[in-house]
Every structure is written in structure tokens, then in C-alpha cells.
Amino acid sequence: MTEWYGVRCVFRWTEAVEPSYEERVTVWHAVDADSALALAEAEAREYAQEMGATYVGLAQAYATGNEELVSGSEVFSLLRDSPLPPEEYVDRFFDTGDEHQGTA
């Protein structure tokens, strides 16, 4: 049986004015996490080459538990233990002030 996996890969944008990192989540229909990771890492290397970035070698898979995806399906989740209160946690890991956010 196959199911959907969300895989997060990390890239370094080396040709940008300011060196930046990208966390990119893609979805893969695969028989297991190892297969999803293999598919995602092959695509990550192609993506990096096309975009002028470097794939840093970090890939994390998440089994959705779903054979089909619908609007609102969770495609990636990662739990991290931390004693930080919510505001400090967000500032440290997600809102450092160096993010490139906005509409494209």
C-alpha cells in the first residue's frame, strides 16, 4: 500500500546577494518513508542545480497516514522539545527577522 509523505529538504542559496537557507516541503506517494526520502532527495539535487542553490543534505519525512490528500491535509509535522516559552521559541526558530516572507 502506498501513502503520501511530506518531506522537508534544506537548501542554501549561494548565488543570492545575501546567503539564505530555504526549507522546502514536497509531497511524495510512496510505499514507505525510505522510498519517499529517496524520491525527495533526487528531486532536491535537481532543484538545487536548477535554482543555483546547494542541497545541504537534510531531509526529514513525515507519513501522512493518507492514501489520498484533500484540502487541509497535514503534509508535514515535526515535534521539538524545548523549555522556551512560546514567544521566545517562535523568535528563535521561526521569526528571527531574517526570513523572506511576503506574497509572490
Side-chain angles (χ1 to χ4, degrees), residues 2-7 26-31 36 62-70 73-75:
T2 59
E3 67 178 290
W4 287 98
Y5 291 82
V7 180
T26 54
V27 293
W28 301 92
H29 207 224
V31 295
Y62 172 76
T64 67
N66 298 315
E67 291 182 36
E68 299 296 328
L69 295 179
V70 297
S73 292
E74 183 177 80
V75 297

Side-chain angles (χ1 to χ4, degrees), residues 69-84:
L69 295 179
V70 297
S71 291
S73 292
E74 183 177 80
V75 297
F76 192 83
S77 178
L78 176 73
L79 294 174
R80 178 184 289 125
D81 293 336
S82 175
L84 295 173

Side-chain angles (χ1 to χ4, degrees), residues 41-95:
E41 289 192 300
E43 190 275 342
R45 288 186 287 277
E46 290 177 18
Y47 174 80
Q49 185 175 22
E50 290 172 9
M51 302 306 290
T54 301
Y55 170 51
V56 302
L58 175 68
Q60 298 170 311
Y62 172 76
T64 67
N66 298 315
E67 291 182 36
E68 299 296 328
L69 295 179
V70 297
S71 291
S73 292
E74 183 177 80
V75 297
F76 192 83
S77 178
L78 176 73
L79 294 174
R80 178 184 289 125
D81 293 336
S82 175
L84 295 173
E87 187 175 317
E88 288 179 41
Y89 180 86
V90 169
D91 286 347
R92 171 169 293 159
F93 295 107
F94 299 100
D95 191 19

Side-chain angles (χ1 to χ4, degrees), residues 18-34:
E18 294 288 328
S20 300
Y21 287 89
E22 176 185 9
E23 296 179 34
R24 184 170 174 257
V25 177
T26 54
V27 293
W28 301 92
H29 207 224
V31 295
D32 57 30
D34 288 338

